[in-house]
Amino acid sequence: MSTKNVYLFKVVIRDTQTNTEMPVNSFKGLFQEIFDREARNHALKLTYDDAEPMMLDILDNTDEYLFAKLSRKRPNNSMQKRNYNTYQIDDVLGPDEVANKGVEWFTYCILGYSHGILSIVNSKGAPSAGALARVFSLYNHRYSLESEAIPNRNLVEELIHGRAPEINKVQVDIAQPDAQILQELFGFNDREVLEAVGQNMSSIVFEIKPEFRGALSTDTNVITRLIDALRRNRNQYHSVVLSGKTNAGERQRRYDLYEEYFKYPISVSEYRQENHRKVERERDDILRDYRQSMMGVYDDYKDIILVVSNR
């Protein structure tokens, strides 16, 4: 199971001649004009440099959204191919292939045409959200694209000032806890055990939860004071994640108190079991899971995201 974070961005497209912001309902047409003119095999090159090209692969381009992959070429000399029966290694690409072919890091992104919010999965080596700006800087200089990360603090403030805020759970990760904390949590005084455990432990995570279907607090004053106290003592914690909602009847959401920008973890399995063996899943199945998970994050948080983004 692969766990990665989805980050959300507000996309702004400007007319470079007038410096005016284009309406969101024009996004689909602006992208479509470039895709119709420049794309080949449902792909668009995002760099002039052939040594380390970046690409955009158009997976779905509907009236509602653009679902795509952003990829960057990986140096051939940083990889090797191995036969696991003989252990023999070879180059991934031969010398005659390197000039025109490549192996790539890639990630997934979704741009909603009705709201202009971009979702992107973080992936080491793959392009970031800023790569989408190259669609216009390379192919239509009349416009420029900017992606603004959604500030996490704004989402937490929306929780505090919601119509009927509610905290359902607090998860605290304490980095390098000392023996006294372990002693209090375990409730015994075996120093040898505590010291042995403490030497090999990097952090401890605990949860504060209410009774079944209950809430820790629905008092705005208590919720505000709790969040303020956790923020003041952030040097004592590795992370603090709240679970709650801004109004009765809403779905419960996660609020990472110390993240500068909003993110949400998703898990996608890249393997399946077949005859008690672990085998790679089909690419289309993995792609479908990423799309559904990313859309799910936006759907769960869209009310707050649109408010903090002024959309």
Side-chain angles (χ1 to χ4, degrees):
M1 186 76 72
S2 175
T3 300
K4 296 184 178 180
N5 289 316
V6 176
Y7 289 86
L8 299 183
F9 299 80
K10 173 184 177 180
V11 169
V12 174
I13 299 178
R14 295 187 184 278
D15 185 320
T16 57
Q17 295 182 3
T18 63
N19 198 34
T20 56
E21 188 173 326
M22 299 298 295
V24 174
N25 60 16
S26 69
F27 285 14
K28 164 69 176 179
L30 292 173
F31 275 95
Q32 190 66 57
E33 188 276 330
I34 294 173
F35 293 159
D36 290 342
R37 173 165 42 89
E38 302 289 349
R40 287 187 289 167
N41 290 318
H42 306 288
L44 192 72
K45 192 173 182 181
L46 299 181
T47 51
Y48 290 123
D49 184 5
D50 288 330
E52 295 185 3
M54 284 195 293
M55 303 291 298
L56 182 143
D57 291 293
I58 305 164
L59 303 174
D60 273 322
N61 188 31
T62 70
D63 290 338
E64 288 80 32
Y65 63 86
L66 167 67
F67 179 44
K69 285 194 297 185
L70 291 168
S71 61
R72 186 197 312 270
K73 183 180 180 181
R74 187 172 181 175
N76 193 51
N77 55 20
S78 70
M79 302 176 294
Q80 63 184 22
K81 182 170 60 177
R82 184 187 298 275
N83 183 318
Y84 288 106
N85 292 321
T86 64
Y87 299 169
Q88 180 180 348
I89 60 172
D90 294 292
D91 290 333
V92 174
L93 298 174
D96 58 333
E97 296 179 288
V98 172
N100 299 313
K101 295 182 180 179
V103 178
E104 300 174 334
W105 285 292
F106 68 85
T107 191
Y108 296 99
C109 67
I110 298 178
L111 174 64
Y113 286 136
S114 64
H115 45 69
I117 301 299
L118 172 70
S119 306
I120 187 167
V121 179
N122 75 311
S123 185
K124 186 177 180 180
S128 64
L132 203 62
R134 295 169 178 263
V135 173
F136 292 93
S137 63
L138 266 65
Y139 300 110
N140 191 341
H141 297 165
R142 173 69 187 267
Y143 302 98
S144 65
L145 184 148
E146 304 164 7
S147 51
E148 305 170 4
I150 304 297
N152 185 63
R153 188 177 183 92
N154 290 7
L155 271 74
V156 176
E157 293 300 321
E158 284 295 319
L159 168 65
I160 295 173
H161 301 299
R163 284 175 291 178
E166 180 178 309
I167 293 292
N168 305 102
K169 183 173 66 176
V170 180
Q171 183 183 74
V172 181
D173 186 340
I174 302 176
Q176 300 295 335
D178 57 33
Q180 182 179 351
I181 293 176
L182 294 176
Q183 182 176 329
E184 292 173 355
L185 289 174
F186 288 149
F188 60 85
N189 296 312
D190 192 325
R191 298 297 300 179
E192 185 176 351
V193 172
L194 289 171
E195 290 174 4
V197 171
Q199 288 174 358
N200 295 302
M201 182 174 58
S202 63
S203 70
I204 186 168
V205 180
F206 66 89
E207 290 184 347
I208 305 170
K209 299 189 336 188
E211 295 181 356
F212 180 67
R213 294 188 181 278
L216 287 177
S217 180
T218 58
D219 186 321
T220 303
N221 182 49
V222 171
I223 292 172
T224 302
R225 289 162 58 193
L226 171 65
I227 291 174
D228 287 344
L230 291 168
R231 280 175 168 163
R232 284 197 306 271
N233 293 284
R234 67 170 301 162
N235 61 323
Q236 299 181 30
Y237 313 126
H238 179 66
S239 70
V240 175
V241 177
L242 307 175
S243 295
K245 48 191 174 182
T246 62
N247 193 27
E250 288 184 354
R251 200 170 190 174
Q252 186 171 294
R253 302 182 176 111
R254 288 168 42 100
Y255 298 86
D256 193 324
L257 211 57
Y258 298 153
E259 278 294 319
E260 183 178 2
Y261 298 109
F262 173 77
K263 71 176 185 182
Y264 194 91
I266 61 170
S267 296
V268 175
S269 178
E270 297 176 349
Y271 297 90
R272 57 181 172 81
Q273 292 292 325
E274 186 176 286
N275 298 324
H276 306 291
R277 290 175 57 248
K278 191 176 180 181
V279 297
E280 290 188 3
R281 295 179 66 207
E282 287 72 15
R283 187 183 299 270
D284 287 346
D285 292 340
I286 294 175
L287 183 150
R288 183 195 62 238
D289 287 354
Y290 269 106
R291 176 171 48 197
Q292 291 177 348
S293 297
M294 294 169 71
M295 287 182 168
V297 172
Y298 172 77
D299 287 341
D300 287 347
Y301 287 85
K302 65 181 178 182
D303 294 338
I304 297 179
I305 293 296
L306 295 178
V307 169
V308 301
S309 301
N310 296 316
R311 288 282 166 83

